[in-house]
Amino acid sequence: GRLQPGAYYFVETKAPKGYVTPTGDAAKTETKTVLAGQSAAQNLTVSMKNTEETKGKLTLTKTDAAGANVLKGAEFDLYKQVKVGSTSTWDEENPVYTGLTTDANGVIPNINKSLPAGTYQLRETEAPSGYSNLTANIDFTVSKMGVITVGSHPDGVTLTSTTDDYGKITYSIAIPNTPKPLKLVKQD
C-alpha cells in the first residue's frame, strides 16, 4: 500500500526469544519521513538492535554457621517456578537439577553455570555430616538482565556480588548450617 505523507517509526512490542523487549524510546526505530508529492516508490529500511537476555552467574557455597569453614557433602535439588493457569508453582515433575553434592570447596556444582531468567527454589535434601538440615528452602530469582535476588530463605543466608574489570557481575549465596547439638550421656 501507499503511505500518506508524514513521519513514521516502528515500535517493537515483543523481542525474539532470548532477548529483552525494549521499552520507551529504545523500543522505537528511527523516524522515516514520506514527503507530499512523491510519486516514485521509495524503499525505507529500519533496524532495531536487541539486547540479549543475560543469564545470572551464580555460585552457591555451603558454610558452617559462622561462615568460617566450607562444608562438603550437602545434597541439594533445584526447582524452577512455572505458571499453571494463573497459579505459580514449583515444577516438581521436571527439576532443574537433583542430587547436587557440595564439593571440597563447599560449592554446589552445576548451579554455578548460567541460569536462564526465572524464579528458583533450592532444597537441601541432606545436610553435611554432623550438621542439621536447613529450616527452610531458598528461593531466588534471576531477572532477564541477569540480576539475582534472594526471596524467602532460612536465617543466615547471604547474597553478595562482585564486579570484574569488564563489568561482569557474579553473585554468591552463602548457605550456613548449624552443627547438630551434642548429646551427653552420663554413665555410672
Side-chain angles (χ1 to χ4, degrees):
R2 294 188 157 239
L3 292 175
Q4 295 297 315
Y8 295 90
Y9 60 85
F10 290 93
V11 175
E12 183 172 21
T13 57
K14 183 166 175 47
K17 183 175 174 70
Y19 291 85
V20 177
T21 301
T23 59
D25 286 341
K28 297 178 183 178
T29 64
E30 62 187 284
T31 301
K32 299 289 184 171
T33 304
V34 176
L35 301 173
Q38 285 182 318
S39 58
Q42 185 181 12
N43 289 327
L44 300 176
T45 303
V46 294
S47 63
M48 173 64 68
K49 190 172 187 178
N50 287 106
T51 302
E52 190 171 358
E53 285 183 0
T54 305
K55 295 183 178 180
K57 302 289 184 201
L58 177 65
T59 300
L60 295 153
T61 305
K62 193 71 172 157
T63 66
D64 62 10
N69 299 301
V70 295
L71 302 175
K72 69 176 186 175
E75 290 186 20
F76 292 90
D77 293 342
L78 183 67
Y79 295 85
K80 188 170 184 183
Q81 193 174 72
V82 293
K83 282 247 187 218
V84 177
S86 61
T87 305
S88 293
T89 186
W90 301 111
D91 190 355
E92 302 288 339
E93 300 296 317
N94 300 296
V96 178
Y97 295 110
T98 59
L100 298 171
T101 304
T102 56
D103 63 18
N105 297 315
V107 174
I108 301 171
N110 295 328
I111 297 177
N112 62 347
K113 296 179 181 173
S114 296
L115 290 173
T119 299
Y120 297 87
Q121 185 173 78
L122 185 67
R123 301 175 186 173
E124 184 177 57
T125 57
E126 187 168 325
S129 178
Y131 289 83
S132 299
N133 279 351
L134 293 177
T135 57
N137 298 319
I138 301 165
D139 298 347
F140 62 93
T141 300
V142 179
S143 77
K144 288 186 176 187
M145 295 306 293
V147 176
I148 296 174
T149 55
V150 175
S152 67
H153 58 78
D155 288 343
V157 170
T158 58
L159 171 68
T160 57
S161 63
T162 56
T163 305
D164 67 16
D165 293 338
Y166 302 100
K168 187 178 191 179
I169 301 173
T170 300
Y171 293 88
S172 299
I173 298 177
I175 307 165
N177 275 87
T178 55
K180 286 183 179 176
L182 294 175
K183 290 185 181 180
L184 297 176
V185 179
K186 181 180 176 195
Q187 289 185 324
D188 292 332

